[in-house]
Amino acid sequence: EVSLDDPETAFCTLANREELNPEEDSIHHCLYQFTRNETLTETNKLLCDVCTQRHCGPKNNIKSEKKYVYTNAKKQMLVSLAPPILTLHLKRFQHAGFNLQKVNRHIKFPEVIDLAPFCTAKCKNVAEGNTKVLYSLYGVVEHSGTMRSGHYTAYVKMRAMNNHLSDLVFRGQSQALEAEPVKGQWFHISDTHVQPVSVSKVLSSQAYLLFYERLL
């Protein structure tokens, strides 16, 4: 989908991302890097239909690819529709020569996360004037082992039904809730073994997948 937004506001977000100053090795830093503004130059220049038509006339008169005009451009990936369920998948591998190596370091993640600094200013399902898009953590998948073998376990929060979430899923409606984590008991699940754990235990895990439900 081609967006014809005003260039002055095309890269604006719901909340000021420059005030974040995210801590390295945190989920905020990951999101900040993933949604950063990039400049496309040299071999990454963008094919511009407007520039091409200006220099070469109508598109159907162009007979050679050499006549296409490429231009410098800015690129940024932002959230245009805040989902009811936010799923974050961490890339836990890196290239080590010709091999892949698992990344085992801990990535910090919060109980409540604000997605507003990573949403476009015209996010489709956020009420006008809102500067927060809050999500509460309810599930974590953790992997132990290496790239060749290992074991998956999960942390899941048992909580009351979220009627607000149902409204978002089935009706696309949003209403304001308290900006606090949804209350409930956390459990660690490993095959058939299930045991209650503290939230501090959950937040210290080496997350591979994170699941958040929308609050605001």
Side-chain angles (χ1 to χ4, degrees), residues 151-209:
H151 181 58
Y152 289 96
T153 58
Y155 294 91
V156 179
K157 179 187 282 187
M158 184 177 179
R159 69 238 189 270
M161 181 178 176
N162 187 342
N163 293 323
H164 166 65
L165 190 61
S166 299
D167 290 339
L168 277 172
V169 172
F170 297 112
R171 301 184 185 86
Q173 298 174 348
S174 176
Q175 60 185 15
L177 296 180
E178 291 185 5
E180 297 179 356
V182 177
K183 295 180 180 179
Q185 172 64 54
W186 281 97
F187 289 88
H188 183 231
I189 304 171
S190 177
D191 294 335
T192 59
H193 301 284
V194 180
Q195 62 178 355
V197 294
S198 65
V199 65
S200 60
K201 173 68 174 176
V202 177
L203 297 180
S204 65
S205 64
Q206 289 189 19
Y208 180 57
L209 289 168

Side-chain angles (χ1 to χ4, degrees), residues 78-98:
L78 294 171
V79 178
S80 63
L81 185 69
I85 298 295
L86 174 66
T87 305
L88 301 176
H89 184 183
L90 299 179
K91 180 182 175 183
R92 284 205 167 272
F93 68 88
Q94 62 186 7
H95 290 277
F98 293 100

Side-chain angles (χ1 to χ4, degrees), residues 121-132:
K122 295 182 179 180
C123 198
K124 296 181 179 67
N125 58 347
V126 176
E128 188 174 353
N130 278 10
T131 57
K132 289 184 179 295

Side-chain angles (χ1 to χ4, degrees), residues 46-62:
L46 187 71
L47 171 59
C48 179
D49 289 335
V50 175
C51 300
T52 299
Q53 291 183 24
R54 185 183 298 129
H55 286 79
C56 309
K59 193 173 183 179
N60 55 10
N61 290 337
I62 300 174

Side-chain angles (χ1 to χ4, degrees), residues 2-3 6 12 16 28 32 40 48 50 85 91-92 112 116 118 127 132-133 140-141 166 188 193 196 201 204 209:
V2 177
S3 175
D6 183 342
C12 292
N16 189 349
H28 288 98
Y32 186 88
L40 305 179
C48 179
V50 175
I85 298 295
K91 180 182 175 183
R92 284 205 167 272
V112 173
F118 317 108
K132 289 184 179 295
V133 184
V140 180
V141 173
S166 299
H188 183 231
H193 301 284
K201 173 68 174 176
S204 65
L209 289 168

